[in-house]
Amino acid sequence: MGEGRGGGRTPASDKSTSGKPAPFDYLRDPEEITRRSFAIVEAEADLTRLPEPLRPLARRLVHACGMPDILEDLAWGGPVAEVGRKALEDGAPVLADCRMVAEGVTRARLRRDNAVLCTLGDPRVPALALERGTTRSAAAVELWDDHLTGAVVAIGNAPTALFSLLERLQEGAPRPAVILGFPVGFVGAAESKEALAQAALDLPFLTLRGRRGGSALAAAGVNALAAG
């Protein structure tokens, strides 16, 4: 018998002596998976164009998405890795634009039990978005002010959240320590990240030009800073 319609394994020949399907042959050891993964990143990703302090962070980003070519689109300003690590070591909060980013932050790496905050679910947000004529993601950023000073900002979903943050900073809102800007999508994502790169706010930032981004990248950035 050959493969079935779904392209699966041959049901008659691929069985153990117990009559049960034979297990797939794949690596199970988590430590070895991690070791091999980063070895592949080192082999396939050209990190030489990046400043030395930024390279561990860049490795994590490549590892998170499986695409070494994102390094070509990375843009940064200031000592983002050094400042971000110091901020977390000093107990700074992490401000996330969505729950996926917040849940992706590995709490065990936050040595100061740093707060990880996402205001998107705040009950005030729907009315505020309606009043402002904007998205809930953008409106949620308006609730960050009490936590923004010295914070690590991680945006991995909504371009409108990044635009909203930039507008508020230009208006004199409290200044975070660093901005990790990785919104994703076809409408506004590339534009919001270019606005971050061109904002001249004198704030360390890291972003990925173009449409690509996402919560996994934003969370990986925070985790890399927390790992030191």
Side-chain angles (χ1 to χ4, degrees), residues 119-133:
T119 56
L120 189 57
D122 188 290
R124 296 170 288 177
V125 165
L128 189 59
L130 186 62
E131 177 186 340
R132 300 286 194 268

Side-chain angles (χ1 to χ4, degrees), residues 120 125-126 128-130 132-141 158-161 164:
L120 189 57
V125 165
L128 189 59
L130 186 62
R132 300 286 194 268
T134 189
T135 68
R136 294 188 181 188
S137 295
V141 171
T160 55
S164 179

Side-chain angles (χ1 to χ4, degrees), residues 22-158:
F24 289 103
D25 182 15
Y26 63 95
L27 188 60
R28 292 170 166 80
D29 181 353
E31 293 185 1
E32 181 61 13
I33 290 170
T34 299
R35 188 196 68 77
R36 290 195 192 181
S37 294
F38 280 100
I40 293 170
V41 171
E42 289 291 339
E44 297 187 6
D46 181 10
L47 298 165
T48 58
R49 65 178 286 264
L50 305 177
E52 184 67 36
L54 191 57
R55 293 177 189 178
L57 204 165
R59 288 187 191 98
R60 290 278 177 181
L61 296 179
V62 172
H63 179 256
C65 68
M67 294 183 286
D69 63 297
I70 66 167
L71 297 181
E72 299 171 7
D73 293 325
L74 279 184
W76 64 92
V80 59
E82 302 94 313
V83 173
R85 291 184 189 113
K86 181 65 164 56
L88 293 179
E89 289 170 1
D90 290 343
V94 176
L95 300 181
D97 69 317
C98 65
R99 289 302 310 170
M100 286 190 291
V101 173
E103 293 300 324
V105 175
T106 304
R107 303 308 197 271
R109 290 182 180 158
L110 298 174
R111 301 183 184 94
R112 295 288 302 278
D113 196 25
N114 310 61
V116 180
L117 306 173
C118 175
T119 56
L120 189 57
D122 188 290
R124 296 170 288 177
V125 165
L128 189 59
L130 186 62
E131 177 186 340
R132 300 286 194 268
T134 189
T135 68
R136 294 188 181 188
S137 295
V141 171
E142 296 194 27
L143 305 181
W144 285 2
D145 282 11
D146 289 344
H147 311 281
L148 198 52
T149 301
V152 172
V153 172
I155 295 177
N157 180 44

